[in-house]
Amino acid sequence: MSKVLGIVAEYNPFHNGHLYHLEKSKKDTGCSYTVAIMSGNFTQRGSTSLMDKWSKAQSAIECGVDLVIELPVFYAISSAENFAEGAIKILDSLKVVDHLSFGAETANIEILDKCADVLYNEPREYKSLLSHELKKGLSFPKAREKALMLYLNDIRKFANVLSSPNNILGIEYLKALKKFKSNIQPITIPRYEVGYNDLSYTENTASSTAIRNMIKNNGFNALQSLMPAPSYSILLKNMEARTHYS
């Protein structure tokens, strides 16, 4: 029986890094079909998407995704925890998804899952450590990171895991899988060549942030080498028709 891959994405816009993630995920899991849960006209940061949701969905389909389901805006513009929970709830409810794949700075899924296990179950000792760190006046994210490191007691293994944006979101996906007691099996694909918010780019790889920055500053020349042909074509049509969001 064919297996189904689940991906949570914004595809804002769909670029070569997304294509790499999609193709490697299918290869590593042996999945024949892909379902993408995608934010619509608004992104997790609360800003409007570069293209309308229909164009983003078309880009994903033409680049190899089989089904795109919109993540409701309530979840799409929310915190990482709510964003992940909403997406996993939808994927799990389909009852056909075998694997979830997400990009992360940490390649070892066991490290991320151990962090997720602590943050989901909140053992008494961890909660005590968190309370102690919060009383120091630290922000919640920083206090949580320090409390987790103290609880796990292995700085070499877990250092900086909660300082990386894709790791944080990945851990939230893993927490959500635990919450829904899902049978979906997670895998992680290491970030490829450039970082999440990296404004620099290689010959054919750039982050979505870098691409949006190029467009903002009229630096269109490099775009064609950074995006799959279907996605690049759809983006150009949006720009020419002035239907993209600024």
Side-chain angles (χ1 to χ4, degrees):
M1 180 179 293
S2 297
K3 295 193 293 184
V4 178
L5 173 71
I7 289 177
V8 184
E10 293 196 305
Y11 293 151
N12 187 32
F14 193 106
H15 54 65
N16 288 343
H18 293 134
L19 183 62
Y20 168 81
H21 173 254
L22 172 62
E23 292 180 342
K24 182 165 177 54
S25 298
K26 292 172 74 172
K27 180 180 178 181
D28 288 357
T29 60
C31 289
S32 302
Y33 302 101
T34 304
V35 177
I37 307 300
M38 187 190 73
S39 59
N41 291 332
F42 298 92
T43 70
Q44 192 187 355
R45 291 162 295 280
S47 60
T48 50
S49 184
L50 180 66
M51 296 188 295
D52 65 86
K53 61 186 180 182
W54 307 110
S55 296
K56 291 200 302 179
Q58 182 184 355
S59 294
I61 294 294
E62 292 193 17
C63 289
V65 173
D66 297 288
L67 173 65
V68 176
I69 299 175
E70 182 180 359
L71 180 65
V73 68
F74 172 81
Y75 296 111
I77 64 173
S78 190
S79 65
E81 183 176 26
N82 289 338
F83 181 95
E85 186 172 311
I88 297 303
K89 184 177 182 180
I90 295 171
L91 283 175
D92 187 64
S93 70
L94 297 176
K95 303 304 179 187
V96 297
V97 178
D98 298 284
H99 292 276
L100 167 74
S101 176
F102 56 87
E105 290 82 6
T106 298
N108 191 332
I109 190 74
E110 294 181 2
I111 290 177
L112 299 177
D113 194 57
K114 181 63 177 178
C115 293
D117 195 55
V118 174
L119 297 177
Y120 175 68
N121 290 300
E122 295 191 318
R124 182 178 298 179
E125 182 183 350
Y126 163 75
K127 292 177 72 173
S128 177
L129 289 167
L130 177 60
S131 177
H132 179 72
E133 296 300 325
L134 286 169
K135 287 177 181 178
K136 294 180 180 179
L138 297 176
S139 65
F140 181 80
K142 193 62 181 177
R144 185 176 74 160
E145 181 180 4
K146 292 195 68 175
L148 182 62
M149 293 302 101
L150 290 168
Y151 179 82
L152 294 171
N153 195 29
D154 192 340
I155 298 296
R156 178 177 295 181
K157 187 175 183 180
F158 294 98
N160 301 319
V161 171
L162 289 185
S163 299
S164 304
N166 286 107
N167 283 350
I168 292 172
L169 194 52
I171 288 170
E172 294 300 339
Y173 293 142
L174 296 172
K175 283 173 56 184
L177 289 173
K178 296 175 189 296
K179 177 176 181 177
F180 295 115
K181 297 179 173 57
S182 177
N183 292 321
I184 297 173
Q185 298 299 307
I187 69 163
T188 180
I189 304 295
R191 291 286 303 187
Y192 179 63
E193 292 189 353
V194 295
Y196 178 71
N197 285 318
D198 200 339
L199 292 179
S200 63
Y201 56 93
T202 66
E203 183 178 350
N204 58 13
T205 305
S207 68
S208 295
T209 302
I211 291 175
R212 292 194 299 272
N213 189 64
M214 289 179 204
I215 295 172
K216 179 180 179 181
N217 293 296
N218 296 315
F220 306 124
N221 293 339
L223 287 181
Q224 190 167 6
S225 66
L226 300 173
M227 301 173 65
S231 181
Y232 176 72
S233 176
I234 292 168
L235 175 62
L236 282 188
K237 289 178 182 177
N238 269 256
M239 293 170 61
E240 290 168 359
R242 299 182 181 273
T243 58
H244 66 288
Y245 292 90
S246 59

